[in-house]
Amino acid sequence: MIPAAASALALAAVLGAAGDPQGPTAASVLTPLESAALRQVLASLPQRSVPELSEPLVQAARTLARSAAGGEPRPLSSAALRTALGEAGVVDPAPAAVVLSARASSLPEAMAAAARFRGASHLGIGVVVRDGLAWGVLLATERRAEVEPFPRRVAIGSRVALRGRLLRLEGARVWVSTPSGVARELPVEVEGDRFSATVPFDAPGTWRVEVGGSGPRGPTVAALLEVACGDVVPGAVPPGDVDPAEPADATATILGAVNALRARQGLAPLIGSAPLDAQARRHSEAMLAAGTLAHRLPGGEDLLARLAAAGIRYRSARENVARGDGVIDAHRAMVESPAHLANLLAVDVRLVGLGIARGALPGGQPVVYLTEILVEPRDPLPVGDPPTGVR
């Protein structure tokens, strides 16, 4: 834990810093209530390093706080987060987030109690006071890429250079998903930790561009950008969906959504697998317990080792993980990630395992961790033989 005196010095340092490469270079100007809350948050974080205050994350946090204060029932859905981050120019894919309300005098202490982030490199805080209550949002991210400015709107036929560098990751890869729902990987030039790729925008609609790399937690999404091509509005938040209450119904809903997605691309449906479901569920529960979204958790194994330990044979295997305020929200976050979408649309995949773990964020908001394991069986599935996942 950072001593109070040290945290005050750190706060002064970040407030006077040169700024965040993802946004304006001017230092953030916080309100007195935001400053008081941030001071207590920094003093309470369970990590040795002091996160940097990020101007764009502050902008996004304020947007989300205004939404929560205005009565939005799902202020931290993946869609709401994506929209607020995009408007602020943040490319970090999935910041940890907390939203809560309290009297202004007690908000700093409440936010500090809810700040259980580990490993954060950048923070943003936003507070809105309305009708006698203070609504606060805290965003924390472990930044894995710095990306040079990239437009959020382009003309049809544009070819835009994507440049940047990975942070604590290696093996840069770039994917795009097109307005028609196709995901593909782009050629990348790599020199050390720097990468560059040319993104062609050849159709109108919403495009998503993703940068990924590999690290101790396995494959990691480092940056995610949404771009409007032609006469479309970027960042529209879809209406909220009500999750089925029963786990079996929730799993069936996601399987149906996956197969509808594949059908639109002319692909065969996936078959559910009880052994894969069990593996996916265990991983989601482990992520929930750790409060971390990753393919490989501290002290744990990667997907292939987990499948081998369970005696599940395969020719190839893929894994998608996501976090949301509900099962449908978490699955939507996967579909909006080009690399995850590419896994869902893999031609050779035949079996799928779905695992759901439900919990609550420190501020009391619901959170769901979702794991999707996609497998190409070692042998063809016999006609009429129920899938076991063990082949």
Side-chain angles (χ1 to χ4, degrees):
M1 180 176 293
I2 305 171
S7 69
L9 292 174
L11 176 64
V14 296
L15 289 177
D20 185 341
Q22 288 193 11
T25 57
S28 296
V29 178
L30 299 183
T31 67
L33 186 53
E34 288 170 340
S35 294
L38 180 61
R39 187 175 292 110
Q40 291 207 29
V41 165
L42 289 173
S44 67
L45 287 180
Q47 63 181 70
R48 292 180 179 274
S49 59
V50 179
E52 179 181 340
L53 186 67
S54 162
E55 174 91 23
L57 283 175
V58 169
Q59 295 177 22
R62 286 172 174 165
T63 296
L64 295 167
R66 285 193 295 269
S67 176
E72 167 57 48
R74 303 175 62 193
L76 296 185
S77 70
S78 63
L81 274 168
R82 172 179 49 78
T83 299
L85 295 171
E87 291 175 349
V90 179
V91 302
D92 300 318
V98 168
V99 59
L100 51 81
S101 62
R103 295 190 307 274
S105 59
S106 58
L107 184 73
E109 183 178 354
M111 295 195 77
R116 301 173 187 171
F117 311 124
R118 291 183 180 274
S121 63
H122 292 76
L123 288 178
I125 191 167
V127 177
V128 172
V129 180
R130 186 170 298 177
D131 299 329
L133 279 180
W135 293 81
V137 170
L138 185 65
L139 299 177
T141 186
E142 187 175 358
R143 185 153 300 163
R144 293 311 183 110
E146 293 177 353
V147 178
E148 294 182 8
F150 197 87
R152 292 195 74 217
R153 179 177 293 278
V154 298
I156 301 173
S158 298
R159 295 174 61 84
V160 184
L162 176 71
R163 298 187 180 92
R165 71 184 185 99
L166 294 180
L167 304 174
R168 299 176 298 281
L169 294 176
E170 58 186 17
R173 302 173 69 179
V174 175
W175 294 264
V176 297
S177 59
T178 71
S180 63
V182 174
R184 64 175 182 266
E185 189 170 359
L186 298 180
V188 179
E189 293 184 7
V190 177
E191 185 175 346
D193 61 357
R194 300 199 63 82
F195 62 86
S196 63
T198 299
V199 185
F201 296 95
D202 52 15
T206 299
W207 291 66
R208 293 184 177 88
V209 184
E210 180 174 306
V211 179
S214 296
R217 298 177 186 173
T220 301
V221 179
L224 183 61
L225 304 87
E226 185 174 285
V227 181
C229 181
D231 189 20
V232 296
V233 178
V237 179
D241 295 298
V242 178
D243 278 353
E246 295 298 324
D249 293 339
T251 299
T253 296
I254 298 305
L255 179 58
V258 168
N259 284 334
L261 185 74
R262 290 176 62 87
R264 288 194 290 272
Q265 302 300 327
L267 298 173
L270 302 184
I271 302 170
S273 161
L276 291 178
D277 285 346
Q279 291 301 309
R281 185 168 54 252
R282 290 191 188 100
H283 189 64
S284 290
E285 291 169 349
M287 290 191 294
L288 175 64
T292 299
L293 188 66
H295 293 283
R296 182 187 299 135
L297 296 168
E301 302 286 351
D302 63 12
L303 171 65
L304 302 187
R306 283 183 268 126
L307 294 182
I312 296 175
R313 301 172 63 195
Y314 56 87
R315 188 178 299 277
S316 65
R318 300 163 171 82
E319 181 176 69
N320 286 346
V321 295
R323 176 177 55 205
D325 68 356
V327 176
I328 297 174
D329 185 54
H331 176 68
R332 180 182 290 121
M334 290 184 183
V335 175
E336 292 177 350
S337 158
H340 291 73
L341 178 60
N343 284 343
L344 291 169
L345 298 179
V347 175
D348 52 6
V349 167
R350 293 292 310 280
L351 300 176
V352 61
L354 303 171
I356 299 165
R358 300 180 185 270
L361 296 173
Q365 295 74 36
V367 65
V368 167
Y369 285 84
L370 173 64
T371 300
E372 299 175 348
I373 300 176
L374 307 137
V375 165
E376 175 193 8
R378 176 168 292 184
D379 303 311
L381 296 176
V383 176
D385 185 30
T388 66
V390 182
R391 295 286 170 182

